[in-house]
Amino acid sequence: LAKTTQPISMDSYEGQEVNITCSHNNIATNDYITWYQQFPSQGPRFIIQGYKTKVTNEVASLFIPADRKSSTLSLPRVSLSDTAVYYCLVVGMDSSYKLIFGSGTRLLVRP
Amino acid sequence: DTAVSQTPKYLVTQMGNDKSIKCEQNLGHDTMYWYKQDSKKFLKIMFSYNNKELIINETVPNRFSPKSPDKAHLNLHINSLELGDSAVYFCASSQDLTISEQYFGPGTRLTVT
Protein backbone atom coordinates (compact mmCIF):
# COMPACT_ATOMS: atom_id res chain seq x y z
CA LEU A 1 0.00 0.00 0.00
CA ALA A 2 1.24 3.49 -0.87
CA LYS A 3 2.83 5.39 1.98
CA THR A 4 1.51 8.88 2.64
CA THR A 5 3.28 11.96 3.88
CA GLN A 6 1.46 14.91 5.37
CA PRO A 7 2.44 17.82 7.63
CA ILE A 8 2.60 16.98 11.31
CA SER A 9 0.65 20.05 12.33
CA MET A 10 -1.05 23.18 11.01
CA ASP A 11 -2.48 26.28 12.61
CA SER A 12 -5.34 28.36 11.35
CA TYR A 13 -7.90 30.92 12.46
CA GLU A 14 -11.65 30.75 12.49
CA GLY A 15 -13.23 31.59 9.16
CA GLN A 16 -10.16 30.76 7.09
CA GLU A 17 -9.91 28.10 4.43
CA VAL A 18 -7.50 25.32 5.35
CA ASN A 19 -5.72 23.16 2.82
CA ILE A 20 -3.92 20.04 3.97
CA THR A 21 -1.74 18.40 1.38
CA CYS A 22 -0.79 14.76 1.35
CA SER A 23 1.81 13.19 -0.88
CA HIS A 24 1.54 9.61 -2.05
CA ASN A 25 4.19 9.19 -4.72
CA ASN A 26 3.77 5.43 -5.03
CA ILE A 27 0.02 5.36 -5.47
CA ALA A 28 -1.13 2.52 -7.70
CA THR A 29 -3.71 2.61 -10.46
CA ASN A 30 -6.25 0.79 -8.34
CA ASP A 31 -5.77 2.97 -5.27
CA TYR A 32 -7.96 5.81 -4.18
CA ILE A 33 -7.55 8.52 -1.57
CA THR A 34 -9.56 8.69 1.63
CA TRP A 35 -9.50 11.24 4.44
CA TYR A 36 -10.56 10.74 8.03
CA GLN A 37 -10.93 13.18 10.91
CA GLN A 38 -10.36 12.34 14.56
CA PHE A 39 -11.38 14.52 17.48
CA PRO A 40 -9.73 13.99 20.88
CA SER A 41 -11.13 10.99 22.74
CA GLN A 42 -13.21 9.89 19.75
CA GLY A 43 -12.87 7.40 16.95
CA PRO A 44 -11.95 8.57 13.44
CA ARG A 45 -14.72 9.78 11.18
CA PHE A 46 -14.80 9.43 7.39
CA ILE A 47 -14.67 12.78 5.62
CA ILE A 48 -14.24 12.28 1.91
CA GLN A 49 -12.88 9.96 -0.74
CA GLY A 50 -11.79 10.39 -4.32
CA TYR A 51 -9.90 8.88 -7.24
CA LYS A 52 -9.07 11.85 -9.43
CA THR A 53 -9.87 15.53 -10.11
CA LYS A 54 -12.20 17.05 -7.56
CA VAL A 55 -14.72 15.70 -5.10
CA THR A 56 -16.90 17.89 -2.91
CA ASN A 57 -19.34 17.12 -0.14
CA GLU A 58 -21.00 19.12 2.60
CA VAL A 59 -17.88 18.98 4.77
CA ALA A 60 -14.86 19.34 2.50
CA SER A 61 -13.39 19.25 -0.97
CA LEU A 62 -10.70 16.93 -2.20
CA PHE A 63 -8.41 17.96 -5.04
CA ILE A 64 -6.38 15.32 -6.84
CA PRO A 65 -4.05 16.34 -9.70
CA ALA A 66 -3.73 14.30 -12.85
CA ASP A 67 -0.64 12.39 -11.71
CA ARG A 68 -2.41 11.50 -8.43
CA LYS A 69 0.86 11.67 -6.52
CA SER A 70 -0.63 14.11 -4.07
CA SER A 71 -3.99 15.28 -2.86
CA THR A 72 -5.30 18.30 -0.97
CA LEU A 73 -8.09 18.30 1.55
CA SER A 74 -9.76 21.69 1.63
CA LEU A 75 -11.86 22.77 4.61
CA PRO A 76 -13.81 25.97 3.90
CA ARG A 77 -14.22 28.56 6.65
CA VAL A 78 -13.00 26.47 9.56
CA SER A 79 -14.38 26.87 13.05
CA LEU A 80 -12.95 25.99 16.44
CA SER A 81 -14.75 22.65 16.25
CA ASP A 82 -12.61 21.66 13.25
CA THR A 83 -9.61 21.28 15.55
CA ALA A 84 -8.72 17.64 15.08
CA VAL A 85 -6.26 15.23 13.52
CA TYR A 86 -6.74 14.65 9.81
CA TYR A 87 -5.54 11.41 8.24
CA CYS A 88 -4.82 10.86 4.58
CA LEU A 89 -5.07 7.22 3.51
CA VAL A 90 -4.43 5.47 0.23
CA VAL A 91 -6.76 2.52 -0.09
CA GLY A 92 -6.54 -0.29 -2.60
CA MET A 93 -9.74 -1.13 -4.47
CA ASP A 94 -9.08 -4.79 -3.84
CA SER A 95 -8.48 -4.21 -0.12
CA SER A 96 -10.89 -1.41 0.68
CA TYR A 97 -11.39 -2.73 4.16
CA LYS A 98 -7.73 -2.48 5.11
CA LEU A 99 -7.13 1.06 6.31
CA ILE A 100 -3.58 2.00 7.24
CA PHE A 101 -3.43 5.19 9.26
CA GLY A 102 -0.30 7.32 9.38
CA SER A 103 0.50 9.97 11.93
CA GLY A 104 -1.96 12.47 10.50
CA THR A 105 -1.98 16.27 10.58
CA ARG A 106 -2.95 18.01 13.78
CA LEU A 107 -5.01 21.05 12.85
CA LEU A 108 -5.43 23.72 15.50
CA VAL A 109 -8.03 26.39 14.79
CA ARG A 110 -7.59 29.52 16.87
CA PRO A 111 -10.25 32.16 17.62
CA ASP B 1 -29.12 5.84 18.69
CA THR B 2 -25.40 5.17 18.73
CA ALA B 3 -24.28 3.48 15.52
CA VAL B 4 -21.24 1.69 16.96
CA SER B 5 -21.06 1.26 20.70
CA GLN B 6 -18.39 -0.21 22.93
CA THR B 7 -18.34 -1.22 26.56
CA PRO B 8 -16.70 -0.41 28.81
CA LYS B 9 -15.42 3.06 27.99
CA TYR B 10 -12.64 2.77 30.55
CA LEU B 11 -10.97 -0.35 31.84
CA VAL B 12 -8.25 -0.41 34.48
CA THR B 13 -6.80 -3.76 35.41
CA GLN B 14 -3.66 -5.47 36.61
CA MET B 15 -1.10 -7.41 34.65
CA GLY B 16 -1.97 -11.02 34.16
CA ASN B 17 -5.73 -10.52 34.25
CA ASP B 18 -8.15 -11.47 31.48
CA LYS B 19 -10.61 -8.89 30.20
CA SER B 20 -13.17 -8.43 27.45
CA ILE B 21 -14.36 -5.45 25.47
CA LYS B 22 -17.72 -5.60 23.75
CA CYS B 23 -18.76 -3.95 20.51
CA GLU B 24 -22.14 -3.67 18.85
CA GLN B 25 -23.24 -1.95 15.66
CA ASN B 26 -26.82 -1.23 14.70
CA LEU B 27 -26.08 -0.19 11.11
CA GLY B 28 -26.73 -3.57 9.56
CA HIS B 29 -23.13 -3.73 8.35
CA ASP B 30 -21.46 -6.98 7.32
CA THR B 31 -17.92 -6.12 8.36
CA MET B 32 -16.48 -5.21 11.74
CA TYR B 33 -12.99 -4.33 12.94
CA TRP B 34 -10.82 -3.84 15.99
CA TYR B 35 -8.11 -1.18 16.04
CA LYS B 36 -5.51 -0.27 18.63
CA GLN B 37 -4.32 3.30 19.16
CA ASP B 38 -1.22 3.51 21.31
CA SER B 39 0.21 6.38 23.33
CA LYS B 40 1.87 7.82 20.24
CA LYS B 41 -1.58 7.99 18.64
CA PHE B 42 -0.82 5.51 15.86
CA LEU B 43 -3.97 3.69 14.89
CA LYS B 44 -3.43 0.12 13.73
CA ILE B 45 -5.88 -2.47 12.56
CA MET B 46 -5.92 -5.68 14.57
CA PHE B 47 -8.79 -7.79 13.25
CA SER B 48 -11.49 -7.70 10.66
CA TYR B 49 -14.55 -9.92 10.50
CA ASN B 50 -16.93 -10.22 7.59
CA ASN B 51 -20.22 -11.99 8.20
CA LYS B 52 -18.70 -13.52 11.34
CA GLU B 53 -15.69 -14.81 9.41
CA LEU B 54 -12.16 -13.68 10.29
CA ILE B 55 -10.60 -11.74 7.40
CA ILE B 56 -7.63 -9.94 8.90
CA ASN B 57 -5.41 -10.91 11.80
CA GLU B 58 -2.60 -8.41 11.80
CA THR B 59 0.28 -10.04 13.70
CA VAL B 60 -1.56 -9.69 16.94
CA PRO B 61 -0.44 -11.88 19.86
CA ASN B 62 -2.71 -14.86 20.32
CA ARG B 63 -3.57 -13.50 23.77
CA PHE B 64 -6.05 -11.40 21.80
CA SER B 65 -9.05 -13.39 20.65
CA PRO B 66 -11.94 -11.76 18.81
CA LYS B 67 -15.34 -13.38 18.88
CA SER B 68 -18.27 -12.56 16.65
CA PRO B 69 -21.47 -14.19 17.89
CA ASP B 70 -23.43 -12.50 15.11
CA LYS B 71 -22.94 -9.83 12.45
CA ALA B 72 -23.82 -7.03 14.83
CA HIS B 73 -21.30 -7.93 17.52
CA LEU B 74 -17.55 -8.29 17.66
CA ASN B 75 -16.06 -8.75 21.08
CA LEU B 76 -12.38 -8.68 21.99
CA HIS B 77 -11.05 -10.91 24.73
CA ILE B 78 -7.55 -10.37 26.04
CA ASN B 79 -5.75 -12.96 28.16
CA SER B 80 -2.81 -12.40 30.47
CA LEU B 81 -2.77 -8.65 30.06
CA GLU B 82 0.60 -6.93 29.78
CA LEU B 83 1.67 -3.34 30.37
CA GLY B 84 2.13 -2.87 26.63
CA ASP B 85 -1.53 -3.62 26.05
CA SER B 86 -2.41 -0.24 27.53
CA ALA B 87 -4.01 1.72 24.70
CA VAL B 88 -7.32 2.87 23.32
CA TYR B 89 -9.15 0.14 21.44
CA PHE B 90 -11.61 1.14 18.76
CA CYS B 91 -14.27 -0.98 17.19
CA ALA B 92 -15.49 -0.07 13.71
CA SER B 93 -17.85 -1.36 11.05
CA SER B 94 -18.39 -0.93 7.35
CA GLN B 95 -21.14 -1.96 4.99
CA ASP B 96 -18.98 -4.69 3.51
CA LEU B 97 -15.39 -5.47 2.52
CA THR B 98 -15.51 -3.27 -0.56
CA ILE B 99 -16.27 -0.08 1.33
CA SER B 100 -13.51 1.97 2.97
CA GLU B 101 -15.96 4.22 4.83
CA GLN B 102 -15.79 2.82 8.31
CA TYR B 103 -17.82 3.90 11.32
CA PHE B 104 -15.85 3.95 14.52
CA GLY B 105 -17.02 3.48 18.06
CA PRO B 106 -16.09 5.83 20.92
CA GLY B 107 -13.15 3.71 22.03
CA THR B 108 -12.22 1.81 25.17
CA ARG B 109 -9.27 3.14 27.13
CA LEU B 110 -7.47 0.16 28.64
CA THR B 111 -4.91 0.78 31.36
CA VAL B 112 -2.86 -2.13 32.61
CA THR B 113 -1.02 -1.54 35.88
Short mmCIF file of all heavy atoms in Angstrom, two decimals, chain A residues 32 34 36 38 41-46 49 87 91 93 95-103 106, chain B residues 9 31 33 35 37 41-43 45 48 55-56 58 90 97-102 104-106 109:
data_model
loop_
_atom_site.label_atom_id
_atom_site.label_comp_id
_atom_site.label_asym_id
_atom_site.label_seq_id
_atom_site.Cartn_x
_atom_site.Cartn_y
_atom_site.Cartn_z
N TYR A 32 -7.32 4.53 -4.28
CA TYR A 32 -7.96 5.81 -4.18
C TYR A 32 -7.64 6.45 -2.84
O TYR A 32 -7.05 5.80 -1.97
CB TYR A 32 -9.48 5.73 -4.42
CG TYR A 32 -10.21 4.67 -3.66
CD1 TYR A 32 -10.82 4.96 -2.45
CD2 TYR A 32 -10.34 3.38 -4.16
CE1 TYR A 32 -11.52 4.01 -1.75
CE2 TYR A 32 -11.03 2.41 -3.47
CZ TYR A 32 -11.62 2.74 -2.26
OH TYR A 32 -12.31 1.78 -1.56
N THR A 34 -8.51 8.55 0.62
CA THR A 34 -9.56 8.69 1.63
C THR A 34 -9.04 9.54 2.77
O THR A 34 -7.88 9.42 3.16
CB THR A 34 -9.96 7.31 2.16
OG1 THR A 34 -10.35 6.47 1.08
CG2 THR A 34 -11.11 7.41 3.15
N TYR A 36 -9.81 10.90 6.78
CA TYR A 36 -10.56 10.74 8.03
C TYR A 36 -10.20 11.88 8.98
O TYR A 36 -9.13 12.46 8.89
CB TYR A 36 -10.21 9.41 8.71
CG TYR A 36 -11.00 8.22 8.22
CD1 TYR A 36 -10.71 7.60 7.01
CD2 TYR A 36 -12.05 7.71 8.99
CE1 TYR A 36 -11.44 6.51 6.57
CE2 TYR A 36 -12.78 6.61 8.56
CZ TYR A 36 -12.47 6.02 7.36
OH TYR A 36 -13.20 4.94 6.93
N GLN A 38 -10.22 12.89 13.22
CA GLN A 38 -10.36 12.34 14.56
C GLN A 38 -10.28 13.45 15.60
O GLN A 38 -9.26 14.15 15.69
CB GLN A 38 -9.29 11.29 14.85
CG GLN A 38 -9.49 10.60 16.21
CD GLN A 38 -8.50 9.48 16.49
OE1 GLN A 38 -7.41 9.45 15.92
NE2 GLN A 38 -8.88 8.57 17.37
N SER A 41 -10.31 11.95 21.99
CA SER A 41 -11.13 10.99 22.74
C SER A 41 -12.30 10.45 21.92
O SER A 41 -13.33 10.03 22.49
CB SER A 41 -11.67 11.63 24.03
OG SER A 41 -10.61 12.08 24.83
N GLN A 42 -12.17 10.47 20.60
CA GLN A 42 -13.21 9.89 19.75
C GLN A 42 -12.56 9.02 18.68
O GLN A 42 -11.37 9.14 18.40
CB GLN A 42 -14.05 10.98 19.08
CG GLN A 42 -14.91 11.78 20.03
CD GLN A 42 -15.84 12.72 19.26
OE1 GLN A 42 -16.21 12.46 18.13
NE2 GLN A 42 -16.20 13.82 19.90
N GLY A 43 -13.36 8.18 18.07
CA GLY A 43 -12.87 7.40 16.95
C GLY A 43 -12.83 8.24 15.69
O GLY A 43 -13.51 9.25 15.58
N PRO A 44 -12.01 7.83 14.71
CA PRO A 44 -11.95 8.57 13.44
C PRO A 44 -13.30 8.59 12.74
O PRO A 44 -14.13 7.70 12.92
CB PRO A 44 -10.93 7.77 12.62
CG PRO A 44 -10.13 7.02 13.62
CD PRO A 44 -11.08 6.70 14.73
N ARG A 45 -13.48 9.63 11.93
CA ARG A 45 -14.72 9.78 11.18
C ARG A 45 -14.38 10.01 9.72
O ARG A 45 -13.53 10.84 9.40
CB ARG A 45 -15.51 10.96 11.74
CG ARG A 45 -16.87 11.19 11.10
CD ARG A 45 -17.60 12.32 11.81
NE ARG A 45 -17.05 13.62 11.48
CZ ARG A 45 -17.67 14.55 10.73
NH1 ARG A 45 -18.84 14.27 10.20
NH2 ARG A 45 -17.10 15.72 10.51
N PHE A 46 -15.02 9.28 8.84
CA PHE A 46 -14.80 9.43 7.39
C PHE A 46 -15.21 10.82 6.95
O PHE A 46 -16.26 11.32 7.32
CB PHE A 46 -15.64 8.36 6.67
CG PHE A 46 -15.63 8.47 5.17
CD1 PHE A 46 -14.67 7.81 4.44
CD2 PHE A 46 -16.59 9.22 4.51
CE1 PHE A 46 -14.67 7.89 3.05
CE2 PHE A 46 -16.60 9.31 3.13
CZ PHE A 46 -15.64 8.64 2.40
N GLN A 49 -13.67 10.93 0.02
CA GLN A 49 -12.88 9.96 -0.74
C GLN A 49 -12.92 10.33 -2.22
O GLN A 49 -13.95 10.81 -2.70
CB GLN A 49 -13.47 8.57 -0.52
CG GLN A 49 -12.80 7.44 -1.24
CD GLN A 49 -13.45 6.13 -0.86
OE1 GLN A 49 -13.14 5.55 0.17
NE2 GLN A 49 -14.37 5.68 -1.67
N TYR A 87 -6.34 12.49 8.80
CA TYR A 87 -5.54 11.41 8.24
C TYR A 87 -5.82 11.26 6.75
O TYR A 87 -6.98 11.21 6.32
CB TYR A 87 -5.90 10.08 8.92
CG TYR A 87 -5.58 10.00 10.39
CD1 TYR A 87 -6.57 10.24 11.33
CD2 TYR A 87 -4.31 9.66 10.83
CE1 TYR A 87 -6.29 10.14 12.69
CE2 TYR A 87 -4.02 9.56 12.19
CZ TYR A 87 -5.02 9.80 13.11
OH TYR A 87 -4.75 9.71 14.45
N VAL A 91 -6.06 3.78 -0.28
CA VAL A 91 -6.76 2.52 -0.09
C VAL A 91 -6.83 1.78 -1.42
O VAL A 91 -7.20 2.37 -2.44
CB VAL A 91 -8.18 2.77 0.45
CG1 VAL A 91 -8.88 1.45 0.71
CG2 VAL A 91 -8.12 3.60 1.73
N MET A 93 -8.38 -0.71 -4.12
CA MET A 93 -9.74 -1.13 -4.47
C MET A 93 -9.98 -2.59 -4.12
O MET A 93 -11.10 -2.99 -3.82
CB MET A 93 -9.99 -0.91 -5.97
CG MET A 93 -10.17 0.53 -6.35
SD MET A 93 -10.61 0.71 -8.08
CE MET A 93 -10.54 2.49 -8.27
N SER A 95 -8.64 -4.03 -1.58
CA SER A 95 -8.48 -4.21 -0.12
C SER A 95 -9.05 -2.99 0.59
O SER A 95 -8.42 -2.42 1.46
CB SER A 95 -7.01 -4.41 0.25
OG SER A 95 -6.23 -3.31 -0.20
N SER A 96 -10.26 -2.64 0.17
CA SER A 96 -10.89 -1.41 0.68
C SER A 96 -11.06 -1.41 2.19
O SER A 96 -11.15 -0.37 2.80
CB SER A 96 -12.26 -1.24 0.03
OG SER A 96 -12.15 -1.19 -1.37
N TYR A 97 -11.12 -2.61 2.74
CA TYR A 97 -11.39 -2.73 4.16
C TYR A 97 -10.14 -2.51 5.00
O TYR A 97 -10.20 -2.32 6.19
CB TYR A 97 -11.95 -4.13 4.45
CG TYR A 97 -11.07 -5.24 3.91
CD1 TYR A 97 -10.07 -5.81 4.68
CD2 TYR A 97 -11.23 -5.69 2.61
CE1 TYR A 97 -9.26 -6.80 4.18
CE2 TYR A 97 -10.41 -6.69 2.10
CZ TYR A 97 -9.43 -7.24 2.88
OH TYR A 97 -8.63 -8.21 2.37
N LYS A 98 -8.97 -2.54 4.36
CA LYS A 98 -7.73 -2.48 5.11
C LYS A 98 -7.22 -1.04 5.13
O LYS A 98 -6.53 -0.60 4.20
CB LYS A 98 -6.69 -3.40 4.50
CG LYS A 98 -5.49 -3.62 5.40
CD LYS A 98 -4.64 -4.76 4.88
CE LYS A 98 -3.46 -5.00 5.79
NZ LYS A 98 -2.64 -6.13 5.36
N LEU A 99 -7.57 -0.32 6.17
CA LEU A 99 -7.13 1.06 6.31
C LEU A 99 -5.83 1.11 7.09
O LEU A 99 -5.71 0.51 8.16
CB LEU A 99 -8.19 1.89 7.04
CG LEU A 99 -9.58 1.93 6.43
CD1 LEU A 99 -10.47 2.87 7.22
CD2 LEU A 99 -9.53 2.33 4.98
N ILE A 100 -4.85 1.81 6.54
CA ILE A 100 -3.58 2.00 7.24
C ILE A 100 -3.43 3.48 7.54
O ILE A 100 -3.28 4.30 6.65
CB ILE A 100 -2.39 1.49 6.39
CG1 ILE A 100 -2.55 -0.01 6.16
CG2 ILE A 100 -1.08 1.80 7.09
CD1 ILE A 100 -1.46 -0.63 5.33
N PHE A 101 -3.50 3.80 8.82
CA PHE A 101 -3.43 5.19 9.26
C PHE A 101 -1.98 5.57 9.52
O PHE A 101 -1.23 4.83 10.15
CB PHE A 101 -4.23 5.38 10.55
CG PHE A 101 -5.72 5.33 10.36
CD1 PHE A 101 -6.39 4.11 10.30
CD2 PHE A 101 -6.46 6.49 10.25
CE1 PHE A 101 -7.77 4.07 10.13
CE2 PHE A 101 -7.83 6.46 10.08
CZ PHE A 101 -8.49 5.24 10.03
N GLY A 102 -1.60 6.76 9.05
CA GLY A 102 -0.30 7.32 9.38
C GLY A 102 -0.40 8.17 10.63
O GLY A 102 -1.29 7.97 11.45
N SER A 103 0.49 9.12 10.74
CA SER A 103 0.50 9.97 11.93
C SER A 103 -0.48 11.13 11.84
O SER A 103 -0.80 11.75 12.84
CB SER A 103 1.91 10.50 12.19
OG SER A 103 2.39 11.13 11.02
N ARG A 106 -2.20 17.39 12.68
CA ARG A 106 -2.95 18.01 13.78
C ARG A 106 -3.28 19.44 13.40
O ARG A 106 -2.40 20.28 13.30
CB ARG A 106 -2.13 18.00 15.06
CG ARG A 106 -1.90 16.63 15.62
CD ARG A 106 -1.18 16.65 16.95
NE ARG A 106 -1.07 15.30 17.47
CZ ARG A 106 -2.02 14.70 18.17
NH1 ARG A 106 -3.13 15.36 18.47
NH2 ARG A 106 -1.88 13.47 18.60
N LYS B 9 -16.15 1.93 28.54
CA LYS B 9 -15.42 3.06 27.99
C LYS B 9 -14.03 3.15 28.60
O LYS B 9 -13.08 3.55 27.93
CB LYS B 9 -16.19 4.36 28.25
CG LYS B 9 -15.60 5.56 27.52
CD LYS B 9 -16.54 6.74 27.54
CE LYS B 9 -15.91 7.96 26.87
NZ LYS B 9 -15.56 7.70 25.45
N THR B 31 -19.32 -6.03 7.99
CA THR B 31 -17.92 -6.12 8.36
C THR B 31 -17.63 -5.31 9.61
O THR B 31 -18.09 -4.17 9.74
CB THR B 31 -17.03 -5.61 7.19
OG1 THR B 31 -17.44 -6.23 5.98
CG2 THR B 31 -15.56 -5.94 7.44
N TYR B 33 -14.43 -4.42 12.76
CA TYR B 33 -12.99 -4.33 12.94
C TYR B 33 -12.66 -4.02 14.40
O TYR B 33 -13.45 -3.39 15.12
CB TYR B 33 -12.41 -3.18 12.09
CG TYR B 33 -12.85 -3.15 10.66
CD1 TYR B 33 -14.08 -2.58 10.31
CD2 TYR B 33 -12.04 -3.66 9.64
CE1 TYR B 33 -14.49 -2.54 8.98
CE2 TYR B 33 -12.45 -3.59 8.31
CZ TYR B 33 -13.67 -3.04 8.00
OH TYR B 33 -14.08 -2.99 6.69
N TYR B 35 -9.33 -1.95 16.21
CA TYR B 35 -8.11 -1.18 16.04
C TYR B 35 -7.52 -0.90 17.41
O TYR B 35 -8.23 -0.81 18.41
CB TYR B 35 -8.41 0.18 15.38
CG TYR B 35 -8.74 0.15 13.92
CD1 TYR B 35 -10.04 -0.13 13.49
CD2 TYR B 35 -7.77 0.43 12.96
CE1 TYR B 35 -10.34 -0.14 12.14
CE2 TYR B 35 -8.07 0.44 11.61
CZ TYR B 35 -9.37 0.15 11.21
OH TYR B 35 -9.68 0.15 9.87
N GLN B 37 -5.02 2.02 19.27
CA GLN B 37 -4.32 3.30 19.16
C GLN B 37 -3.45 3.46 20.40
O GLN B 37 -3.95 3.58 21.52
CB GLN B 37 -5.30 4.47 19.04
CG GLN B 37 -4.62 5.79 18.72
CD GLN B 37 -5.60 6.84 18.24
OE1 GLN B 37 -6.70 6.97 18.75
NE2 GLN B 37 -5.20 7.62 17.23
N LYS B 41 -0.40 7.69 19.46
CA LYS B 41 -1.58 7.99 18.64
C LYS B 41 -1.61 7.27 17.29
O LYS B 41 -2.39 7.63 16.43
CB LYS B 41 -1.74 9.50 18.42
CG LYS B 41 -1.81 10.29 19.72
CD LYS B 41 -3.03 9.92 20.51
CE LYS B 41 -3.16 10.78 21.75
NZ LYS B 41 -4.30 10.37 22.59
N PHE B 42 -0.73 6.27 17.11
CA PHE B 42 -0.82 5.51 15.86
C PHE B 42 -1.97 4.52 15.96
O PHE B 42 -2.10 3.78 16.93
CB PHE B 42 0.49 4.77 15.60
CG PHE B 42 1.59 5.67 15.16
CD1 PHE B 42 2.66 5.95 15.98
CD2 PHE B 42 1.56 6.24 13.89
CE1 PHE B 42 3.66 6.80 15.57
CE2 PHE B 42 2.56 7.09 13.47
CZ PHE B 42 3.62 7.37 14.31
N LEU B 43 -2.79 4.54 14.93
CA LEU B 43 -3.97 3.69 14.89
C LEU B 43 -3.69 2.51 13.97
O LEU B 43 -3.42 2.69 12.79
CB LEU B 43 -5.15 4.50 14.36
CG LEU B 43 -6.55 3.94 14.47
CD1 LEU B 43 -6.95 3.74 15.91
CD2 LEU B 43 -7.53 4.85 13.77
N ILE B 45 -4.82 -1.46 12.62
CA ILE B 45 -5.88 -2.47 12.56
C ILE B 45 -5.37 -3.76 13.20
O ILE B 45 -4.22 -4.13 13.08
CB ILE B 45 -6.34 -2.71 11.11
CG1 ILE B 45 -7.61 -3.54 11.08
CG2 ILE B 45 -5.23 -3.35 10.28
CD1 ILE B 45 -8.30 -3.56 9.73
N SER B 48 -10.31 -8.04 11.43
CA SER B 48 -11.49 -7.70 10.66
C SER B 48 -12.33 -8.96 10.51
O SER B 48 -11.80 -10.04 10.23
CB SER B 48 -11.10 -7.17 9.29
OG SER B 48 -12.23 -7.05 8.47
N ILE B 55 -11.23 -12.14 8.66
CA ILE B 55 -10.60 -11.74 7.40
C ILE B 55 -9.17 -11.29 7.61
O ILE B 55 -8.28 -11.62 6.86
CB ILE B 55 -11.40 -10.60 6.73
CG1 ILE B 55 -12.85 -11.03 6.49
CG2 ILE B 55 -10.75 -10.15 5.43
CD1 ILE B 55 -12.99 -12.22 5.55
N ILE B 56 -8.96 -10.49 8.62
CA ILE B 56 -7.63 -9.94 8.90
C ILE B 56 -7.24 -10.29 10.32
O ILE B 56 -8.02 -10.13 11.25
CB ILE B 56 -7.60 -8.40 8.78
CG1 ILE B 56 -7.91 -7.94 7.37
CG2 ILE B 56 -6.24 -7.85 9.20
CD1 ILE B 56 -8.01 -6.43 7.26
N GLU B 58 -3.84 -9.12 12.09
CA GLU B 58 -2.60 -8.41 11.80
C GLU B 58 -1.54 -8.66 12.87
O GLU B 58 -1.39 -7.87 13.79
CB GLU B 58 -2.89 -6.90 11.68
CG GLU B 58 -3.56 -6.52 10.40
CD GLU B 58 -2.64 -6.62 9.20
OE1 GLU B 58 -1.46 -6.25 9.31
OE2 GLU B 58 -3.10 -7.08 8.14
N PHE B 90 -10.44 0.69 19.48
CA PHE B 90 -11.61 1.14 18.76
C PHE B 90 -12.22 -0.01 17.96
O PHE B 90 -11.51 -0.75 17.28
CB PHE B 90 -11.25 2.26 17.77
CG PHE B 90 -10.91 3.56 18.41
CD1 PHE B 90 -9.59 3.95 18.56
CD2 PHE B 90 -11.91 4.42 18.83
CE1 PHE B 90 -9.26 5.17 19.15
CE2 PHE B 90 -11.60 5.65 19.42
CZ PHE B 90 -10.28 6.01 19.57
N LEU B 97 -16.85 -5.51 2.72
CA LEU B 97 -15.39 -5.47 2.52
C LEU B 97 -14.97 -4.51 1.42
O LEU B 97 -13.80 -4.15 1.33
CB LEU B 97 -14.88 -6.87 2.19
CG LEU B 97 -14.83 -7.87 3.34
CD1 LEU B 97 -14.45 -9.25 2.80
CD2 LEU B 97 -13.84 -7.41 4.40
N THR B 98 -15.89 -4.12 0.57
CA THR B 98 -15.51 -3.27 -0.56
C THR B 98 -15.57 -1.79 -0.22
O THR B 98 -15.19 -0.95 -1.03
CB THR B 98 -16.44 -3.51 -1.76
OG1 THR B 98 -17.76 -3.06 -1.43
CG2 THR B 98 -16.47 -4.98 -2.14
N ILE B 99 -16.04 -1.48 0.97
CA ILE B 99 -16.27 -0.08 1.33
C ILE B 99 -15.22 0.37 2.34
O ILE B 99 -15.02 -0.27 3.37
CB ILE B 99 -17.67 0.10 1.95
CG1 ILE B 99 -18.74 -0.38 0.98
CG2 ILE B 99 -17.90 1.55 2.36
CD1 ILE B 99 -18.82 0.40 -0.30
N SER B 100 -14.53 1.47 2.04
CA SER B 100 -13.51 1.97 2.97
C SER B 100 -14.07 2.99 3.95
O SER B 100 -13.35 3.49 4.80
CB SER B 100 -12.34 2.58 2.20
OG SER B 100 -12.78 3.68 1.44
N GLU B 101 -15.35 3.32 3.85
CA GLU B 101 -15.96 4.22 4.83
C GLU B 101 -16.34 3.39 6.04
O GLU B 101 -17.29 2.61 6.01
CB GLU B 101 -17.20 4.91 4.26
CG GLU B 101 -17.84 5.87 5.26
CD GLU B 101 -19.01 6.64 4.68
OE1 GLU B 101 -19.26 6.52 3.46
OE2 GLU B 101 -19.66 7.37 5.45
N GLN B 102 -15.56 3.58 7.09
CA GLN B 102 -15.79 2.82 8.31
C GLN B 102 -16.34 3.74 9.39
O GLN B 102 -15.97 4.91 9.48
CB GLN B 102 -14.49 2.16 8.79
CG GLN B 102 -13.96 1.13 7.80
CD GLN B 102 -12.70 0.44 8.29
OE1 GLN B 102 -12.29 0.58 9.44
NE2 GLN B 102 -12.08 -0.32 7.41
N PHE B 104 -16.57 4.31 13.33
CA PHE B 104 -15.85 3.95 14.52
C PHE B 104 -16.68 4.16 15.78
O PHE B 104 -17.49 5.09 15.86
CB PHE B 104 -14.56 4.76 14.64
CG PHE B 104 -13.47 4.30 13.73
CD1 PHE B 104 -13.50 4.58 12.37
CD2 PHE B 104 -12.40 3.56 14.21
CE1 PHE B 104 -12.49 4.14 11.51
CE2 PHE B 104 -11.38 3.13 13.38
CZ PHE B 104 -11.43 3.41 12.02
N GLY B 105 -16.42 3.30 16.76
CA GLY B 105 -17.02 3.48 18.06
C GLY B 105 -16.25 4.52 18.87
O GLY B 105 -15.25 5.06 18.39
N PRO B 106 -16.69 4.79 20.08
CA PRO B 106 -16.09 5.83 20.92
C PRO B 106 -14.76 5.43 21.55
O PRO B 106 -14.05 6.27 22.09
CB PRO B 106 -17.13 6.08 21.98
CG PRO B 106 -17.85 4.77 22.10
CD PRO B 106 -17.88 4.19 20.71
N ARG B 109 -10.62 2.85 26.63
CA ARG B 109 -9.27 3.14 27.13
C ARG B 109 -8.89 2.08 28.15
O ARG B 109 -9.47 2.02 29.24
CB ARG B 109 -9.18 4.53 27.75
CG ARG B 109 -7.77 4.89 28.23
CD ARG B 109 -7.69 6.32 28.69
NE ARG B 109 -7.86 7.26 27.59
CZ ARG B 109 -6.89 7.65 26.77
NH1 ARG B 109 -5.67 7.16 26.92
NH2 ARG B 109 -7.13 8.51 25.81
#
